[in-house]
Amino acid sequence: MKKYFFLSIFSVFLFLGCNPSKENEQQKDTYVVDNYTKKEVAITMRDGVKLHTTIYSPKDTSKEYPILMQRTPYSSAPYGEGKMKTKISPNIHLMKEGNIVVYQDVRGRWMSEGVYDNMRAYIPNKTANQSDEVSDTYDTIDWLVKNVENNNGNVGTWGISYPGHYATVSTIDAHPALKAASPQASIGDFFFDDFHHNGAFLLSYFRAISLFGTYKDTPTDSAWYSFPKMNSQDQYQFFLDKGPLKNLNEYFQYDKLDVNATASKDKIDDFFWKEITEHPNYDSVWQSKGIIQHMDKVPSTVATMVVGGWFDAEDLYGPLETYKGIEKYGKDNYNTLVFGPWDHGKWSRNTVKNTVGNYYFGDSISLKFQSDIETKFFNHFLKGKGNKNSGLPEAYVFDSGRKEWKSYDAWPPKNVVKEDWFLSENQELTSDKKSTEKINFISDIKRPVPYSEDIKTVFTPRKYMTDDQRFAARRPDVLVFETDVLTEDYTLAGDILAKLKVATTGTAADWIVKVIDVHPSDIDEDNEGLQDHLKMSNYHLMVRSEVLRGRFRNSFEFPEPFTPNKKTDVNIKLQDVFHTFKKGHKLQVQVQSTWFPLIDLNPQTYVDNIYKADESDFKTQTHTVFTDSSIEFYVLKN
């Protein structure tokens, strides 16, 4: 039988965290119906393809309004006359203040014509009839300002996750009417966001592949894709039993029912899975799909507010690199950064209690962002003076250790210094290099280190970003390095660079580094949201973590094997943090070589393409970390 099941559109939206609307639930909120009219139109692009566009306009036509637009691959539903969203615009304030709100199905998705291309490449010098997402956005804005009644000529774009990517796209070679854009949790480059981290495949995203890779060439208001049915609640064991990645091909053979025949084993119908498996390196395919490489094409006429979550498992790289790219090239651009204690898209929700996984960060954090930051940004640039005096800081960032907001006129803050800490013997993290010793551990491919202690099967991983790491610290294949108890607060503000000196008995290995805040044993047990088996006493809060597929240590485009037993430099960039390790806490670093099944299992013997590796390629190896390895922090000084 075919190994799939269908999920509703609403279920997909929930897992992606991209659409807070609840069209499929009974709602008493009739504000949109009472105050807006809805119109569905097909807007023709320069190459003749028509994109389905839904326009919500205020019933009060006595004044003019800005246009707020979101372009999405996740559907602008509900479709049809009389069917309306219960919530529109970025937040409830912007909805109730009055704006013309537009949703568009991007090319090849849902009710729009054309063929979808996942992370469609930008074409810098287009001919007259060539199109990309930049031109589709430009053509859409041009039509809207010329044809939608009562608009004031100013357009803003926003979106979370993939729609956040389209908000970034809107800023490139932007239409003159675009005055403000807010890319939120935006994808920046598919070799570093979502499905890959530094070249390692995010195996935990396996069930999301078909959402993006199932072919469609006709408009539809119903799901044309289906998701793999795993028949297991234990994803760790499921993937361990499956073995090499090529054994997953059968889940992406949509046209064949008999996947047991040898002839069909390598057949792949899903064009995204085929793209992943045929392009294991950062080649021209992936390079062309990156959008952060084009931040030099964002004109100063577009104000940007980049939003992200410090604990976003899906898109942490994208928003940080988008902000930094605009900063690098846009010297005259208005560009602000907002980062809070959120997982993927949580800032758009109306919950009072702000938690990520087990960890509680405070109350009304998302609500404050919506009312005081997001609304103020769009109102200033779409309804107000639109100058650089918006009243907002350059960087509005949440210290996840102190649990409080801070404002800075640059990110990272100007008063940071680099400090190196060494991975010393006796599990010590020291400010000075003590000696150069070898620390060995066995990386057993039959017992990889789990990324979570939970027994579960999830659509995409999130909770692990703040998970208690004691379960990992107690394994022999996880190396632990820890400071003494801190006698004063220690604040990290900026990115982190792990400078490992390693060796392996094999020819391939992954390297994972985690930065952890070890809480005191006598801390108050005041976190009501903890899983029953956990305590805040000695809680090991993961602050930041990242993987590097070792073959890419010198180049993501041109991988290379390790020489067995040869000491080798492996540098791993961990994304930015803003976290204070408080007095009485300890700073811990963990180093390991498997992280399963968050990332796929490395064979630990070099093969040209891991997606085509055989079971015989997978070997248990002994890895070495040398104690002249160090980790570089940006430390905030008062």
Side-chain angles (χ1 to χ4, degrees), residues 377-393:
F377 170 77
F378 279 116
N379 281 347
H380 177 76
F381 289 102
L382 301 182
K383 295 180 179 179
K385 294 181 179 179
N387 56 25
K388 293 184 179 181
N389 298 320
S390 67
L392 297 174

Side-chain angles (χ1 to χ4, degrees), residues 293-357:
Q293 295 85 341
H294 304 292
M295 294 298 94
D296 58 333
K297 302 174 183 68
V298 179
S300 60
T301 53
V302 180
T304 49
M305 181 178 71
V306 179
V307 182
W310 289 131
F311 302 97
D312 187 343
E314 277 101 317
D315 297 294
L316 182 61
Y317 173 89
L320 287 167
E321 294 304 313
T322 298
Y323 168 79
K324 292 175 183 179
I326 297 173
E327 283 297 293
K328 179 179 179 180
Y329 296 108
K331 302 303 182 184
D332 296 323
N333 290 50
Y334 179 95
N335 182 36
T336 189
L337 179 75
V338 181
F339 255 79
W342 300 304
D343 61 18
H344 196 58
K346 206 163 194 175
W347 51 89
S348 69
R349 298 169 199 167
N350 295 324
T351 52
V352 173
K353 202 174 185 68
N354 276 239
T355 60
V356 177

Side-chain angles (χ1 to χ4, degrees), residues 122-142:
Y122 165 66
I123 304 172
N125 299 299
K126 289 178 279 292
T127 61
N129 292 323
Q130 279 186 310
S131 67
D132 55 14
E133 295 303 336
V134 168
S135 66
D136 282 357
T137 310
Y138 189 102
D139 294 349
T140 299
I141 292 175
D142 196 62

Side-chain angles (χ1 to χ4, degrees), residues 377-430:
F377 170 77
F378 279 116
N379 281 347
H380 177 76
F381 289 102
L382 301 182
K383 295 180 179 179
K385 294 181 179 179
N387 56 25
K388 293 184 179 181
N389 298 320
S390 67
L392 297 174
E394 169 76 14
Y396 189 60
V397 287
F398 191 90
D399 183 329
S400 53
R402 283 198 175 101
K403 299 183 181 180
E404 61 186 25
W405 288 101
K406 293 288 186 180
S407 297
Y408 295 103
D409 57 6
W411 183 261
K414 294 175 182 177
N415 52 328
V416 293
V417 297
K418 288 183 181 181
E419 291 186 0
D420 282 298
W421 288 78
F422 289 88
L423 310 185
S424 297
E425 63 270 26
N426 299 320
Q427 298 190 334
E428 292 182 330
L429 187 65
T430 61

Side-chain angles (χ1 to χ4, degrees), residues 458-516:
V458 296
F459 212 80
T460 57
R462 292 187 183 178
K463 171 182 167 291
Y464 82 96
M465 293 290 283
T466 60
D467 265 355
D468 189 335
Q469 296 300 305
R470 275 176 281 196
F471 77 94
R474 293 165 181 170
R475 285 183 58 114
D477 49 359
V478 177
L479 303 185
V480 176
F481 305 90
E482 195 172 80
T483 64
D484 292 330
V485 174
L486 297 174
T487 57
E488 58 184 26
D489 289 354
Y490 189 74
T491 301
L492 305 186
D495 63 28
I496 298 167
L497 181 64
K499 297 179 284 191
L500 301 184
K501 316 286 186 181
V502 301
T504 175
T505 55
T507 51
D510 293 334
W511 300 95
I512 295 100
V513 174
K514 299 183 289 191
V515 177
I516 293 159

Side-chain angles (χ1 to χ4, degrees), residues 24 58 104 139 187 203 231 368 382 490 530 541 561 586 608:
N24 295 345
Q104 183 179 76
D139 294 349
I187 304 165
L203 184 57
N231 291 322
K368 175 180 173 65
L382 301 182
Y490 189 74
L530 281 178
L541 171 68
K586 290 184 285 187
D608 288 335

Side-chain angles (χ1 to χ4, degrees), residues 125-246:
N125 299 299
K126 289 178 279 292
T127 61
N129 292 323
Q130 279 186 310
S131 67
D132 55 14
E133 295 303 336
V134 168
S135 66
D136 282 357
T137 310
Y138 189 102
D139 294 349
T140 299
I141 292 175
D142 196 62
W143 188 93
L144 290 171
V145 295
K146 291 176 180 176
N147 292 278
V148 175
E149 295 181 356
N150 298 107
N151 83 81
N152 70 357
N154 295 335
V155 177
T157 55
W158 95 98
I160 298 172
S161 194
Y162 217 142
H165 164 73
Y166 291 114
T168 304
V169 166
S170 73
T171 67
I172 296 172
D173 300 337
H175 192 284
L178 183 69
K179 303 301 182 185
S182 184
Q184 304 181 4
S186 50
I187 304 165
D189 190 311
F190 253 178
F191 210 67
F192 305 96
D193 279 310
D194 286 304
F195 294 92
H196 298 94
H197 275 212
N198 288 328
F201 175 59
L202 268 287
L203 184 57
S204 46
Y205 280 65
F206 157 73
R207 292 174 67 199
I209 296 289
S210 57
L211 174 63
F212 303 102
T214 307
Y215 182 80
K216 178 186 81 71
D217 61 358
T218 55
T220 179
D221 62 359
S222 302
W224 65 98
Y225 48 81
S226 53
F227 299 113
K229 188 175 182 180
M230 296 170 64
N231 291 322
S232 175
Q233 294 303 311
D234 185 348
Q235 62 184 6
Y236 181 99
Q237 195 62 46
F238 171 85
F239 286 115
L240 203 59
D241 291 343
K242 278 296 176 184
L245 285 173
K246 68 177 186 178

